[in-house]
Amino acid sequence: MTDIEAGMGRDVLINEVGPRDGLQSQPKILETSQKASLVQALLDANVASIEIGAFVSPKAVPAMAGTEQLISEFPATSAQRFNALIPNMRGYESALANGIDLMSLVVAVSNTMNEKNIRMSTAQSINVSREVLARANQDGTKVQAYIATSWACPFEGKIADGDVVDVCTRLYEAGASKLIISDTIGAADPKAVQQLMTTLTETFGSDNLACHFHDTRAMGLANVYAALETGIRQFDSSIAGLGGCPFAPGASGNVATEDVVMMLEQMGFRTGIDMQKLLHASDLAIELTGTAKGGKAKLWIEQQIKHKQSAA
Ligand code: COA
Ligand code: ZN
């Protein structure tokens, strides 16, 4: 019997990555006030966890400049729901100084991806991560780790499961609070997800893991389901399906939050998210960027909400 058939763990945590992964490679760079309106719409929809931005070099990713101003637009109570991406100690210190107490390091399994993304080899990035994790341990803050290119790398091709386990082990032993297994370019399929996530849940326990899928090959939702079956109950997704890494050619948007929430709620999982308000956030993401398409099920969900309202 799978975890899902056994009715295990009905609560699922959605970490909304639209303001970071979603906006980082958009051709149009949004004003801080525009980003803030999107984040507010997500807060209003009761999204419990939001990746608000990144403390990275503004030369490397111009769209993420100003994350500190963005955070300052919100009260400290909202900041408790935020997390941010950091590539190094400087990023950690900036995030901490700006009231963020959950940060995400990023380490790709493949060397070439690390060199393109953060200009370090995999070994160097693990060393930098170790230093950050040791510091976080002293400060009592939580630092988790994106394990990028966990199934495939745009430069090196298919990634072996054993290499992912290896990187995960080093970061877990160094104190990473969670390992976010990431399909950076959206190349995984449900069978590959089931295989890798079964190994990882057996090794690290499902509570210490989350998944991050891109929908490049339209397998995002199927991959979420495959991971759910292995016991994963935390997923990254992006409002209106925004997303993509500027350093990973071929990466398209993340799996859309509205689609993931719809699928989970229809299967009896609880996300705590208000769908009607989430759709307002999706409309806003489309309006602000001019490129986001919205979740594949968005039209259908809108029609259901209208039917319900006219019946009431
Ligand atoms: N935040 C802001 N600025 C930073 C920084 C941080 N966390 N870390 C370094 N910098 C600055 C340095 O001060 C330096 O600025 P200067 O040119 O004005 O002196 C510049 O960035 C380069 O620093 P250096 O240490 O030489 O780094 P690098 O050029 O080797 O770049 C990274 C390394 C990690 C800083 C850069 O590649 C980066 O920010 N990558 C992020 C990639 C990303 O976000 N990808 C998408 C998410 S997966
Ligand atoms: Zn991503």
Side-chain angles (χ1 to χ4, degrees):
M1 195 186 289
T2 66
D3 216 25
I4 293 178
E5 285 160 348
M8 305 276 291
R10 290 273 146 198
D11 291 321
V12 175
L13 181 68
I14 299 293
N15 177 48
E16 167 62 50
V17 298
R20 197 278 301 172
D21 206 348
L23 296 181
Q24 71 185 4
S25 57
Q26 284 296 311
K28 186 172 141 198
I29 296 182
L30 301 190
E31 304 285 333
T32 302
S33 61
Q34 294 175 311
K35 291 181 186 174
S37 64
L38 181 60
V39 172
Q40 188 59 55
L42 293 163
L43 289 169
D44 292 345
N46 208 28
V47 178
S49 179
I50 301 171
E51 188 176 40
I52 192 160
F55 290 94
V56 298
S57 160
K59 284 184 196 145
V61 189
M64 288 296 104
T67 294
E68 49 287 341
Q69 286 92 321
L70 177 58
I71 293 165
S72 71
E73 302 267 324
F74 296 91
T77 44
S78 303
Q80 284 164 10
R81 286 153 75 179
F82 298 155
N83 55 85
L85 184 138
I86 55 167
N88 53 20
M89 189 67 87
R90 172 150 173 209
Y92 170 84
E93 284 171 350
S94 306
L96 194 61
N98 284 281
I100 296 290
D101 51 21
L102 176 61
M103 299 92 163
S104 312
L105 287 159
V106 54
V107 177
V109 180
S110 60
N111 229 9
T112 319
M113 188 65 216
N114 279 318
E115 276 160 8
K116 302 264 182 198
N117 193 33
I118 50 174
R119 300 164 64 97
M120 297 175 220
S121 66
T122 304
Q124 282 171 321
S125 75
I126 289 173
N127 284 341
V128 166
S129 298
R130 274 210 192 103
E131 287 166 21
V132 173
L133 289 163
R135 170 74 188 279
N137 187 35
Q138 283 171 11
D139 294 346
T141 50
K142 268 199 200 167
V143 175
Q144 52 187 10
Y146 280 111
I147 314 298
T149 63
S150 279
W151 283 274
C153 166
F155 311 102
E156 296 182 20
K158 199 175 169 345
I159 299 293
D161 287 4
D163 293 345
V164 182
V165 175
D166 216 40
V167 172
C168 285
T169 303
R170 293 194 214 184
L171 293 170
Y172 186 72
E173 285 174 355
S177 63
K178 195 155 274 183
L179 305 164
I180 307 160
I181 311 305
S182 306
D183 182 19
T184 310
I185 54 168
D189 59 70
K191 197 170 168 219
V193 169
Q194 201 240 357
Q195 186 183 305
L196 177 60
M197 295 316 298
T198 298
T199 305
L200 295 176
T201 49
E202 282 168 5
T203 314
F204 303 102
S206 53
D207 285 354
N208 295 314
L209 296 159
C211 283
H212 174 110
F213 295 116
H214 284 257
D215 204 23
T216 318
R217 302 187 196 182
M219 284 188 269
L221 276 187
N223 290 338
V224 169
Y225 182 75
L228 267 175
E229 277 206 308
T230 70
I232 299 301
R233 294 293 181 270
Q234 185 176 326
F235 294 93
D236 283 0
S237 61
S238 176
I239 192 71
L242 277 171
C245 173
F247 306 101
S252 75
N254 294 79
V255 64
T257 306
E258 51 266 48
D259 289 346
V260 177
V261 170
M262 178 205 63
M263 182 180 86
L264 292 170
E265 297 278 344
Q266 184 171 329
M267 290 194 296
F269 290 97
R270 290 178 296 255
T271 63
I273 292 176
D274 179 321
M275 181 56 94
Q276 194 172 348
K277 290 184 178 162
L278 190 69
L279 292 188
H280 290 314
S282 176
D283 289 340
L284 188 60
I286 294 168
E287 186 191 312
L288 291 173
T289 62
T291 56
K293 294 189 183 71
K296 288 175 190 149
K298 188 164 183 244
L299 191 62
W300 183 87
I301 306 167
E302 277 165 355
Q303 283 166 351
Q304 298 309 301
I305 291 173
K306 271 193 202 132
H307 281 314
K308 253 195 216 157
Q309 282 169 341
S310 56

